[in-house]
Amino acid sequence: MNAYPPIDEHGIVGDLQTAALVSSAGTIDWWCAPRFDSPSVFASLLDSARGGHCSIAVDPASAGTVRQLYLSDTAILVTRFSGPDGVGEVADFMVPIPGTAPTDRHRLVRVVRVVRGSLTFTLECRPRFDYARATHTLEQVDERTAVFRSPAADLHLQATEPIVHAPDGADVTARFTLSAGERAAVVLTTTAPGAAASAAPEWAAIATEFDHCRHFWQTWLRSSTYRGRWRNMVNRSAITLKLLTYAPTGAPIAAATMGLPEQIGGERNWDYRYTWIRDASLSVRALMDLGFTAEGLAFRRWLRERVDAGGTASGEPLQIMYRVDGDPKLEELILPHLEGYEKSAPVRVGNGAADQIQLDIYGEAADALAQATDMAAIAGWRTFTGLIDWLADHWDRPDEGIWETRGGRQDFTYSRLMTWVAFDRSIRLATEHARPADLARWTAERDAVFRQIIERGWSERRQAFVQHYATDVLDASLLLMPRMGFLSPNDPMWLSTLDAMDHELVSDSLVYRYDPEASPDGLRGTEGTFNLCSFLYVEALARTGRLQQARYAFDKMLTYANHVGLFAEEIGPSGEQLGNFPQAFTHLALITAALALDEELDRVEAAPPSAG
């Protein structure tokens, strides 16, 4: 038996400061606390033997079918076990912690109940703190309460059923049988080291927490203005983006995990638990397009604080990524004691791309800010204009580009596109809000970028816009050109670019980022199709008027979602999900594709029938 569940055999639960992955077998195999980017408590997803986990499983003698689902419009995850002896379920949830106060205390509640027959469950709790680098001791307070203590953090386990030490003396197990109508609970609480043990859980408190969690998500989702054709998938994607946002600062992260491979056995294994300016800006833009304005305001504050703080590793006004609290230090280390998911080593923590130069981030940030109904205080506008004035002096440089290649800097066409967006949105904001700005300079630089892209980013031989000025390689990031308003979706230059991508980068509606053999990126191995690009392709098709092709591609992409509507970063050659999970990039692009398709389909359906 494979010791590693498929990447997509997971759901996610979280409290807006941290998140855990629960496999479809009922195992928590990934949880970092007290923050998304903290060291792990459970990490068996990266090393099945050493990483640590907490499982609640049905006795093998009663094994049958296992199904997993979310309680409608919530982040409450239910794993159902159906066998010859009965039907039972485990409901996993974390009560969201709104507001701006970070805490070391996080509770993950696991409620077990049997609805028919009788089932025997086995609990195993085997934490391995600090990416399995820290030792711990076990303090059993009473027959239902234990505390795992380590220098990194403590984990308190409180159960309604008796627990015992595992044979190794460092872990906890339990075995209990429930009949129809009976229930049990296990509460896992992470704290700072040395916190006093809590009492065993009471059912009244657990029921209150459950109701609070359900009410939070269903109330939050009511703010959505989306009433389109794919409401369930759009709602699930919105909830996922919210789950990946650190409430104390408003900073969205790229994914909940680190080290999950883009190719099984390969080296493309990165830590995505940080806030990329690009990913965060696009995530917030997607949420704002759905009507979630509070997320936009929080991100704007966070972004301004980053510019005001300075001190980036690259020396630029903005670093491409930060920790969720705004710390720019993300030293990349290898954890050699972890074997990696299905032996996909190395396992990296931190991210060495933090000191890269990626000029596109200023465009994505400006585009997200342009969706706000106001431009905040005068101090905020001064910060913003200072950023654009700086960009006017520094945009015409090679960089590492959106895909963070490690093969050297180039004049990437996408980076130039987004600097054009930065100037264009800034001019609009200054004009619409009557704010002081050097409009003449910004306009001149915007037009200079435009001319350069047309002259140097266009290949006459390929009849397409290309990845960078020194190549004829295509790049799917340029699928954003029409959405960003650089050209019309029906411009002949764009239509021929889309046709070229269709021929070279698209495989049965799935889209590759680029061809790494034709454009070496400094890394060994290959990768799957990129889900972000596949959804951008749908959007581009829709805006171009190829609605039947767009809808078919979108419907096919939705079949690659996992059983609870979640996506990783990539799709492998056999349809498997690859890369970190769940991926914000994918879910934001799903939202924008659905919005574009709905808008174009509504326009066609509302048009009067043609004469004759």
Side-chain angles (χ1 to χ4, degrees):
M1 177 179 290
N2 193 335
Y4 294 93
I7 290 171
D8 63 357
E9 282 295 315
H10 291 86
I12 181 175
V13 297
D15 63 7
L16 308 184
Q17 294 190 20
T18 182
L21 296 190
V22 184
S23 77
S24 59
T27 299
I28 302 170
D29 53 20
W30 181 255
W31 189 20
C32 299
R35 303 188 324 199
F36 298 115
D37 56 357
S38 296
S40 62
V41 177
F42 302 123
S44 59
L45 198 55
L46 295 179
D47 194 309
S48 61
R50 301 182 186 89
H53 69 270
C54 177
S55 64
I56 297 178
V58 170
D59 189 272
S62 302
T65 303
V66 182
R67 295 281 191 270
Q68 206 170 45
L69 69 152
Y70 278 110
L71 190 64
S72 182
D73 291 342
T74 76
I76 298 172
L77 187 68
V78 179
T79 307
R80 290 177 60 85
F81 302 89
S82 304
D85 297 328
V87 177
E89 61 187 32
V90 179
D92 288 290
F93 66 92
M94 300 178 73
V95 179
I97 306 172
T100 59
T103 177
D104 289 328
R105 191 174 189 86
H106 300 272
R107 286 165 61 86
L108 198 165
V109 182
R110 316 199 72 188
V111 177
V112 188
R113 72 181 186 122
V114 170
V115 297
R116 189 161 55 247
S118 178
L119 291 174
T120 298
F121 293 86
T122 301
L123 162 72
E124 289 186 353
C125 187
R126 304 181 182 277
R128 298 294 182 265
F129 298 93
D130 190 21
Y131 309 114
R133 294 181 297 188
T135 59
H136 72 267
T137 58
L138 176 59
E139 173 189 329
Q140 185 147 355
V141 179
D142 55 44
E143 67 173 1
R144 291 178 173 82
T145 306
V147 184
F148 303 86
R149 299 198 182 276
S150 81
D154 287 353
L155 177 69
H156 302 242
L157 184 149
Q158 301 136 323
T160 58
E161 303 298 316
I163 57 176
V164 297
H165 284 204
D168 60 11
D171 303 316
V172 159
T173 65
R175 183 179 173 86
F176 53 93
T177 300
L178 301 177
S179 298
E182 295 181 331
R183 58 189 180 175
V186 176
V187 179
L188 303 172
T189 306
T190 62
T191 69
S198 303
E202 296 182 359
W203 278 112
I206 291 174
T208 298
E209 286 184 283
F210 183 91
D211 289 340
H212 283 171
C213 185
R214 178 173 56 189
H215 181 263
F216 173 89
W217 287 109
Q218 292 178 344
T219 300
W220 178 79
L221 205 54
R222 289 192 198 112
S223 297
S224 175
T225 57
Y226 182 76
R227 301 295 183 268
R229 295 166 178 81
W230 294 277
R231 194 166 177 181
N232 286 340
M233 289 301 295
V234 168
N235 284 353
R236 181 53 51 197
S237 291
I239 289 173
T240 303
L241 293 181
K242 181 67 171 176
L243 276 169
L244 296 177
T245 301
Y246 185 65
T249 62
I253 60 171
T257 59
M258 56 177 263
L260 294 183
E262 297 175 16
Q263 178 187 26
I264 300 300
E267 68 169 338
R268 298 167 185 257
N269 318 313
W270 313 110
D271 190 347
Y272 276 13
R273 301 168 302 147
Y274 307 115
T275 300
W276 271 253
I277 297 295
R278 174 192 313 107
D279 302 41
S281 298
L282 292 172
S283 294
V284 167
R285 167 71 192 270
L287 288 175
M288 293 180 72
D289 285 346
L290 294 178
F292 298 105
T293 57
E295 286 69 22
L297 295 173
F299 177 68
R300 186 169 65 187
R301 285 194 300 270
W302 182 88
L303 188 61
R304 179 192 164 190
E305 289 169 359
R306 302 289 70 72
V307 178
D308 290 343
T312 63
S314 64
E316 309 285 294
L318 281 175
Q319 191 162 290
I320 70 166
M321 73 179 91
Y322 298 83
R323 293 187 179 275
V324 292
D325 62 354
D327 187 346
K329 299 180 180 64
L330 287 90
E331 180 184 6
E332 185 175 300
L333 303 172
I334 290 174
L335 303 178
H337 63 289
L338 297 179
E339 72 172 13
Y341 178 84
E342 290 198 8
K343 297 183 169 56
S344 299
V347 174
R348 296 181 177 91
V349 60
N351 200 305
D355 61 355
Q356 289 188 357
I357 295 175
Q358 297 174 20
L359 294 170
D360 67 282
I361 64 175
Y362 300 100
E364 285 104 359
D367 187 58
L369 292 173
Q371 308 314 305
T373 56
D374 65 84
M375 279 307 296
I378 295 300
W381 177 252
R382 287 174 175 167
T383 296
F384 182 71
T385 56
L387 199 64
I388 302 303
D389 288 339
W390 175 90
L391 188 62
D393 292 326
H394 295 89
W395 65 264
D396 196 8
R397 295 177 296 158
D399 66 353
E400 276 87 1
I402 180 176
W403 305 130
E404 298 176 358
T405 60
R406 301 193 177 191
R409 293 175 181 170
Q410 298 287 349
D411 292 305
F412 285 101
T413 306
Y414 178 80
S415 295
R416 294 298 195 274
L417 167 69
M418 297 311 295
T419 57
W420 178 90
V421 170
F423 292 126
D424 178 73
R425 303 305 190 266
S426 303
I427 293 166
R428 292 189 196 180
L429 287 168
T431 303
E432 291 173 6
H433 298 283
R435 294 296 171 89
D438 191 349
L439 289 177
R441 174 78 190 282
W442 292 0
T443 301
E445 298 304 327
R446 180 197 64 186
D447 295 346
V449 178
F450 184 90
R451 287 190 294 269
Q452 187 185 93
I453 292 174
I454 298 300
E455 293 168 4
R456 302 180 62 192
W458 171 261
S459 167
E460 284 292 335
R461 186 182 74 82
R462 300 299 304 274
Q463 286 294 291
F465 290 101
V466 292
Q467 185 179 62
H468 60 77
Y469 296 167
T471 187
D472 278 347
V473 171
L474 302 178
D475 192 312
S477 65
L478 297 178
L479 286 164
L480 277 168
M481 292 182 97
R483 191 219 287 184
M484 292 301 169
F486 183 82
L487 41 62
S488 163
N490 293 307
D491 188 300
M493 295 177 77
W494 170 246
L495 294 176
S496 63
T497 298
L498 185 58
D499 288 340
M501 290 185 185
D502 213 348
H503 176 73
E504 184 171 304
L505 297 181
V506 180
S507 174
D508 191 34
S509 300
L510 301 176
V511 182
Y512 292 93
R513 296 190 292 181
Y514 55 91
D515 180 357
E517 293 185 4
S519 179
D521 54 15
L523 297 165
R524 297 188 302 273
T526 60
E527 61 181 18
T529 56
F530 212 70
N531 293 332
L532 164 72
C533 299
S534 297
F535 282 119
L536 293 181
Y537 175 63
V538 170
E539 182 181 357
L541 290 172
R543 296 302 188 193
T544 303
R546 303 176 184 179
L547 285 178
Q548 289 188 350
Q549 187 181 356
R551 188 162 189 175
Y552 186 44
F554 189 64
D555 287 342
K556 282 199 288 187
M557 265 305 295
L558 296 185
T559 69
Y560 290 100
N562 79 345
H563 55 290
V564 290
L566 302 180
F567 284 92
E569 185 175 30
E570 300 183 7
I571 302 296
S574 300
E576 72 276 19
Q577 295 208 36
L578 295 172
N580 285 305
F581 181 89
Q583 179 85 0
F585 244 171
T586 303
H587 286 279
L588 72 88
L590 185 157
I591 291 170
T592 59
L595 290 170
L597 256 179
D598 276 315
E599 183 179 335
E600 298 300 328
L601 288 168
D602 289 346
R603 181 179 292 119
V604 169
E605 292 171 5
S610 58

